[in-house]
Amino acid sequence: MKPQMCQRSAPGWSVWKLAVVLYVFAAAAVAINLFMLGLLMQAVGFSALSPVTALLAAGPLGIPAAWAAGRWARHLLDEASAG
């Protein structure tokens, strides 16, 4: 027997639309985490990561983070409409 594909039951926003809306928040979270990681890496001999460098690196790294946040939000919307 063929497994059924999970159909989106809640109408509305796709994962990518949610990802576009959440991109700013996801990129900001990535920037904060990169900056903190740079501070922690000083304990093992690396130089600190500047806030500007963390922001520049967070631009492209925010895309997969926003997609993951969009998937999570879409899952929550599907779950809420099913129950």
Side-chain angles (χ1 to χ4, degrees), residues 25-41 49-51 53-55 57-58 61-62 65:
F25 303 105
V30 169
I32 291 168
N33 285 319
L34 284 174
F35 181 69
M36 292 297 181
L37 180 65
L39 292 177
L40 287 171
M41 293 300 285
L49 193 64
S50 73
T53 306
L55 283 172
L61 291 175

Side-chain angles (χ1 to χ4, degrees), residues 8 13-20 66-72 74:
R8 205 171 63 179
W13 294 50
S14 68
V15 172
W16 281 108
K17 284 182 184 178
L18 288 167
V20 168
W67 178 76
R71 257 186 91 182
W72 174 67
R74 182 72 250 170

